[in-house]
Amino acid sequence: QVQLVESGGGSVQAGGSLRLSCTASIGTLSSFTMAWFRQAPGKEREGVACIGASGRTKYADSVKGRFTISRDNAKTTLYLQMNSLEPEDTALYYCAANDRWMDPSLLRLRYPYWGQGTQVAVSS
C-alpha cells in the first residue's frame, strides 16, 4: 500500500550535520502523519521526531533543538535535518508513516508503514 525509502545516511564527525530523506510511493502525502525513528545496536527503537498533516511537530528530548523534521508534500518526501550531531545519535534511522489523521506521536505502534532504514554514524 505504502512504500517508504530512506536515504542520506552516512558517517560524520561530532558537531557535523546530515539531512535524511524519505520518499513515499504514493501520490499525495499531505494527509499522512510522518515520523523518524532510530535504533542503535542492542537497544529498542525510539521515536526521534514526527510531523502531522496539520504541520504540528514533536521531538524527543534528546534531539530537540538540534534536529528539524519537515515535509514536502508535492515531492511526497519527508526530511530530517540533523545538526550538532553527537556520537549518541549513531543508529539506523527509519522513516514511518500513518495514512490516517492523528496527533503527532513517537509511539511505534501508531505507524503501520516503515522504511528499511538508513545508517548514521557519528564519530568523536
Side-chain angles (χ1 to χ4, degrees):
Q1 294 180 321
V2 178
Q3 294 183 2
L4 306 173
V5 180
E6 303 96 335
S7 62
S11 299
V12 64
Q13 289 189 337
S17 300
L18 284 174
R19 189 193 191 199
L20 305 183
S21 298
C22 171
T23 300
S25 62
I26 57 177
T28 61
L29 195 67
S30 60
S31 63
F32 278 57
T33 300
M34 307 292 296
W36 287 99
F37 288 76
R38 67 185 182 186
Q39 186 168 22
K43 296 185 177 181
E44 295 184 354
R45 193 175 302 177
E46 64 175 349
V48 176
C50 61
I51 182 168
S54 65
R56 291 177 57 195
T57 59
K58 185 176 182 179
Y59 296 90
D61 290 339
S62 60
V63 306
K64 191 173 184 179
R66 299 187 298 119
F67 291 10
T68 302
I69 188 170
S70 62
R71 61 198 297 162
D72 186 333
N73 293 331
K75 297 181 179 180
T76 65
T77 301
L78 175 74
Y79 301 99
L80 183 66
Q81 179 65 47
M82 305 185 294
N83 298 327
S84 302
L85 284 164
E86 304 170 352
E88 292 75 18
D89 296 318
T90 296
L92 186 64
Y93 283 71
Y94 296 90
C95 174
N98 190 315
D99 60 352
R100 301 180 66 177
W101 288 75
M102 68 175 189
D103 291 335
S105 174
L106 296 178
L107 298 176
R108 290 187 296 169
L109 292 177
R110 295 295 185 92
Y111 298 91
Y113 306 111
W114 294 83
Q116 296 187 34
T118 184
Q119 188 69 47
V120 171
V122 184
S123 62
S124 60

